[in-house]
Short mmCIF file of all heavy atoms in Angstrom, two decimals:
data_model
loop_
_atom_site.label_atom_id
_atom_site.label_comp_id
_atom_site.label_asym_id
_atom_site.label_seq_id
_atom_site.Cartn_x
_atom_site.Cartn_y
_atom_site.Cartn_z
N TRP A 273 -15.53 -44.72 61.36
CA TRP A 273 -14.90 -46.06 61.10
C TRP A 273 -15.68 -46.78 60.06
O TRP A 273 -16.91 -46.58 59.89
CB TRP A 273 -14.71 -46.83 62.34
CG TRP A 273 -15.98 -47.41 62.96
CD1 TRP A 273 -16.78 -46.86 63.86
CD2 TRP A 273 -16.45 -48.73 62.72
NE1 TRP A 273 -17.83 -47.72 64.24
CE2 TRP A 273 -17.60 -48.88 63.56
CE3 TRP A 273 -16.08 -49.85 61.97
CZ2 TRP A 273 -18.42 -50.04 63.61
CZ3 TRP A 273 -16.83 -50.98 61.94
CH2 TRP A 273 -17.98 -51.09 62.79
N GLY A 274 -14.96 -47.54 59.25
CA GLY A 274 -15.65 -48.32 58.23
C GLY A 274 -14.87 -49.56 57.93
O GLY A 274 -13.80 -49.78 58.37
N THR A 275 -15.54 -50.48 57.17
CA THR A 275 -14.95 -51.68 56.74
C THR A 275 -15.16 -51.88 55.26
O THR A 275 -16.05 -51.27 54.64
CB THR A 275 -15.59 -52.90 57.48
OG1 THR A 275 -17.01 -52.97 57.13
CG2 THR A 275 -15.44 -52.78 58.94
N GLY A 276 -14.29 -52.70 54.68
CA GLY A 276 -14.36 -53.03 53.22
C GLY A 276 -14.31 -51.76 52.40
O GLY A 276 -13.56 -50.83 52.69
N GLU A 277 -15.17 -51.70 51.39
CA GLU A 277 -15.11 -50.54 50.44
C GLU A 277 -15.57 -49.22 51.09
O GLU A 277 -15.33 -48.11 50.57
CB GLU A 277 -15.98 -50.88 49.22
CG GLU A 277 -17.46 -51.03 49.56
CD GLU A 277 -18.31 -51.48 48.33
OE1 GLU A 277 -17.70 -51.81 47.30
OE2 GLU A 277 -19.50 -51.41 48.46
N LEU A 278 -16.24 -49.30 52.22
CA LEU A 278 -16.69 -48.16 52.91
C LEU A 278 -15.63 -47.62 53.94
O LEU A 278 -16.01 -46.77 54.72
CB LEU A 278 -18.02 -48.43 53.66
CG LEU A 278 -19.22 -48.70 52.69
CD1 LEU A 278 -20.47 -48.86 53.49
CD2 LEU A 278 -19.33 -47.56 51.66
N SER A 279 -14.51 -48.23 53.90
CA SER A 279 -13.39 -47.71 54.79
C SER A 279 -12.46 -46.75 54.04
O SER A 279 -11.53 -46.19 54.63
CB SER A 279 -12.59 -48.91 55.31
OG SER A 279 -11.85 -49.52 54.36
N THR A 280 -12.65 -46.61 52.76
CA THR A 280 -11.71 -45.78 51.95
C THR A 280 -11.78 -44.32 52.28
O THR A 280 -12.81 -43.86 52.84
CB THR A 280 -12.00 -45.98 50.45
OG1 THR A 280 -13.24 -45.45 50.19
CG2 THR A 280 -11.96 -47.45 50.04
N VAL A 281 -10.78 -43.61 51.91
CA VAL A 281 -10.77 -42.18 52.09
C VAL A 281 -11.98 -41.49 51.44
O VAL A 281 -12.68 -40.74 52.05
CB VAL A 281 -9.45 -41.55 51.48
CG1 VAL A 281 -9.50 -40.01 51.51
CG2 VAL A 281 -8.22 -42.09 52.17
N ARG A 282 -12.30 -41.92 50.26
CA ARG A 282 -13.43 -41.31 49.54
C ARG A 282 -14.74 -41.57 50.25
O ARG A 282 -15.55 -40.74 50.37
CB ARG A 282 -13.50 -41.84 48.06
CG ARG A 282 -14.60 -41.10 47.29
CD ARG A 282 -14.56 -41.53 45.83
NE ARG A 282 -15.59 -40.88 45.04
CZ ARG A 282 -15.41 -39.60 44.48
NH1 ARG A 282 -14.24 -39.00 44.63
NH2 ARG A 282 -16.36 -39.08 43.91
N SER A 283 -14.91 -42.82 50.74
CA SER A 283 -16.18 -43.16 51.37
C SER A 283 -16.33 -42.37 52.73
O SER A 283 -17.37 -41.87 53.03
CB SER A 283 -16.25 -44.68 51.69
OG SER A 283 -16.36 -45.39 50.48
N ILE A 284 -15.27 -42.28 53.51
CA ILE A 284 -15.31 -41.59 54.76
C ILE A 284 -15.53 -40.12 54.55
O ILE A 284 -16.34 -39.49 55.21
CB ILE A 284 -14.06 -41.82 55.56
CG1 ILE A 284 -13.84 -43.28 55.95
CG2 ILE A 284 -14.04 -40.94 56.84
CD1 ILE A 284 -14.93 -43.85 56.77
N LEU A 285 -14.76 -39.53 53.65
CA LEU A 285 -14.90 -38.07 53.34
C LEU A 285 -16.30 -37.79 52.80
O LEU A 285 -16.92 -36.76 53.20
CB LEU A 285 -13.84 -37.66 52.31
CG LEU A 285 -13.63 -36.17 51.94
CD1 LEU A 285 -14.69 -35.66 51.04
CD2 LEU A 285 -13.47 -35.36 53.18
N THR A 286 -16.86 -38.62 52.00
CA THR A 286 -18.17 -38.43 51.44
C THR A 286 -19.22 -38.46 52.57
O THR A 286 -20.14 -37.68 52.60
CB THR A 286 -18.55 -39.50 50.41
OG1 THR A 286 -17.60 -39.35 49.30
CG2 THR A 286 -19.96 -39.27 49.86
N ALA A 287 -19.09 -39.38 53.53
CA ALA A 287 -19.99 -39.46 54.68
C ALA A 287 -19.96 -38.15 55.45
O ALA A 287 -20.92 -37.62 55.89
CB ALA A 287 -19.68 -40.60 55.59
N TRP A 288 -18.73 -37.60 55.65
CA TRP A 288 -18.52 -36.38 56.42
C TRP A 288 -19.18 -35.19 55.64
O TRP A 288 -19.78 -34.35 56.23
CB TRP A 288 -17.07 -36.14 56.70
CG TRP A 288 -16.52 -36.95 57.80
CD1 TRP A 288 -17.21 -37.58 58.78
CD2 TRP A 288 -15.13 -37.15 58.11
NE1 TRP A 288 -16.37 -38.23 59.65
CE2 TRP A 288 -15.08 -38.03 59.26
CE3 TRP A 288 -13.93 -36.85 57.47
CZ2 TRP A 288 -13.84 -38.45 59.82
CZ3 TRP A 288 -12.76 -37.28 58.04
CH2 TRP A 288 -12.64 -38.09 59.17
N VAL A 289 -18.97 -35.15 54.34
CA VAL A 289 -19.53 -34.04 53.51
C VAL A 289 -21.00 -33.99 53.62
O VAL A 289 -21.66 -32.97 53.70
CB VAL A 289 -19.07 -34.16 52.12
CG1 VAL A 289 -19.91 -33.30 51.17
CG2 VAL A 289 -17.54 -33.75 51.97
N TYR A 290 -21.69 -35.16 53.62
CA TYR A 290 -23.18 -35.28 53.58
C TYR A 290 -23.73 -35.22 55.04
O TYR A 290 -24.95 -35.29 55.18
CB TYR A 290 -23.60 -36.46 52.87
CG TYR A 290 -23.64 -36.25 51.42
CD1 TYR A 290 -22.53 -36.54 50.60
CD2 TYR A 290 -24.73 -35.67 50.76
CE1 TYR A 290 -22.47 -36.25 49.21
CE2 TYR A 290 -24.77 -35.49 49.36
CZ TYR A 290 -23.66 -35.70 48.61
OH TYR A 290 -23.66 -35.52 47.25
N SER A 291 -22.87 -35.01 56.04
CA SER A 291 -23.35 -34.81 57.44
C SER A 291 -23.18 -33.33 57.74
O SER A 291 -22.04 -32.82 57.71
CB SER A 291 -22.60 -35.65 58.37
OG SER A 291 -22.84 -35.20 59.76
N PRO A 292 -24.25 -32.60 58.00
CA PRO A 292 -24.08 -31.16 58.24
C PRO A 292 -23.02 -30.80 59.33
O PRO A 292 -22.31 -29.85 59.14
CB PRO A 292 -25.49 -30.70 58.67
CG PRO A 292 -26.40 -31.70 58.05
CD PRO A 292 -25.68 -33.00 58.10
N GLU A 293 -23.05 -31.52 60.41
CA GLU A 293 -22.14 -31.20 61.53
C GLU A 293 -20.73 -31.47 61.19
O GLU A 293 -19.80 -30.68 61.41
CB GLU A 293 -22.56 -31.93 62.81
CG GLU A 293 -23.90 -31.51 63.39
CD GLU A 293 -25.05 -32.21 62.77
OE1 GLU A 293 -24.84 -33.05 61.88
OE2 GLU A 293 -26.23 -31.93 63.21
N HIS A 294 -20.47 -32.62 60.54
CA HIS A 294 -19.10 -32.97 60.12
C HIS A 294 -18.58 -31.95 59.10
O HIS A 294 -17.46 -31.53 59.16
CB HIS A 294 -19.03 -34.39 59.56
CG HIS A 294 -19.36 -35.43 60.60
ND1 HIS A 294 -20.59 -35.86 60.86
CD2 HIS A 294 -18.51 -36.24 61.25
CE1 HIS A 294 -20.60 -36.78 61.76
NE2 HIS A 294 -19.31 -37.04 62.03
N LEU A 295 -19.44 -31.57 58.13
CA LEU A 295 -19.09 -30.63 57.10
C LEU A 295 -18.78 -29.27 57.73
O LEU A 295 -17.78 -28.58 57.32
CB LEU A 295 -20.13 -30.50 56.09
CG LEU A 295 -19.85 -29.60 54.91
CD1 LEU A 295 -18.59 -30.07 54.10
CD2 LEU A 295 -21.00 -29.55 53.88
N ALA A 296 -19.55 -28.86 58.71
CA ALA A 296 -19.34 -27.54 59.35
C ALA A 296 -17.97 -27.53 60.04
O ALA A 296 -17.30 -26.50 59.98
CB ALA A 296 -20.41 -27.28 60.40
N ASN A 297 -17.59 -28.64 60.66
CA ASN A 297 -16.28 -28.68 61.24
C ASN A 297 -15.16 -28.52 60.18
O ASN A 297 -14.20 -27.80 60.33
CB ASN A 297 -16.07 -30.04 61.95
CG ASN A 297 -16.20 -29.99 63.42
OD1 ASN A 297 -16.53 -28.93 63.99
ND2 ASN A 297 -16.03 -31.12 64.09
N MET A 298 -15.35 -29.21 59.05
CA MET A 298 -14.37 -29.16 57.95
C MET A 298 -14.25 -27.82 57.35
O MET A 298 -13.10 -27.38 56.96
CB MET A 298 -14.70 -30.20 56.86
CG MET A 298 -14.36 -31.68 57.22
SD MET A 298 -14.32 -32.67 55.73
CE MET A 298 -15.99 -32.67 55.26
N LEU A 299 -15.37 -27.12 57.21
CA LEU A 299 -15.37 -25.83 56.48
C LEU A 299 -15.27 -24.56 57.43
O LEU A 299 -15.11 -23.50 56.86
CB LEU A 299 -16.62 -25.73 55.69
CG LEU A 299 -16.86 -26.81 54.62
CD1 LEU A 299 -18.02 -26.46 53.80
CD2 LEU A 299 -15.58 -26.99 53.74
N SER A 300 -15.33 -24.79 58.71
CA SER A 300 -15.36 -23.65 59.60
C SER A 300 -14.17 -22.81 59.51
O SER A 300 -13.02 -23.24 59.46
CB SER A 300 -15.54 -24.13 61.06
OG SER A 300 -15.49 -23.01 61.92
N ASP A 301 -14.31 -21.46 59.42
CA ASP A 301 -13.23 -20.54 59.39
C ASP A 301 -12.74 -20.28 60.85
O ASP A 301 -11.82 -19.44 61.04
CB ASP A 301 -13.58 -19.23 58.73
CG ASP A 301 -14.69 -18.45 59.36
OD1 ASP A 301 -15.19 -18.91 60.52
OD2 ASP A 301 -15.12 -17.44 58.87
N SER A 302 -13.25 -21.05 61.83
CA SER A 302 -12.74 -20.95 63.14
C SER A 302 -11.35 -21.69 63.26
O SER A 302 -10.63 -21.44 64.15
CB SER A 302 -13.69 -21.61 64.16
OG SER A 302 -14.91 -20.97 64.20
N PHE A 303 -11.09 -22.62 62.34
CA PHE A 303 -9.91 -23.44 62.38
C PHE A 303 -8.99 -23.03 61.24
O PHE A 303 -9.36 -22.70 60.14
CB PHE A 303 -10.28 -24.87 62.26
CG PHE A 303 -11.29 -25.35 63.28
CD1 PHE A 303 -12.45 -26.05 62.94
CD2 PHE A 303 -11.07 -25.07 64.65
CE1 PHE A 303 -13.37 -26.47 63.87
CE2 PHE A 303 -12.05 -25.53 65.59
CZ PHE A 303 -13.15 -26.25 65.25
#
């Protein structure tokens, strides 16, 4: 969750990309 400029799609996606666990979920070939 975010507020202001850090609530945008780009900000949230960037935070997920730079978190190893979030990125692993996004890229996993299990899904």
Side-chain angles (χ1 to χ4, degrees):
W273 70 272
T275 61
E277 63 186 11
L278 294 183
S279 69
T280 65
V281 174
R282 185 176 182 85
S283 292
I284 298 296
L285 187 283
T286 299
W288 283 342
V289 164
Y290 279 89
S291 166
E293 291 86 0
H294 294 82
L295 183 60
N297 260 1
M298 282 198 294
L299 301 185
S300 176
D301 62 3
S302 299
F303 304 129

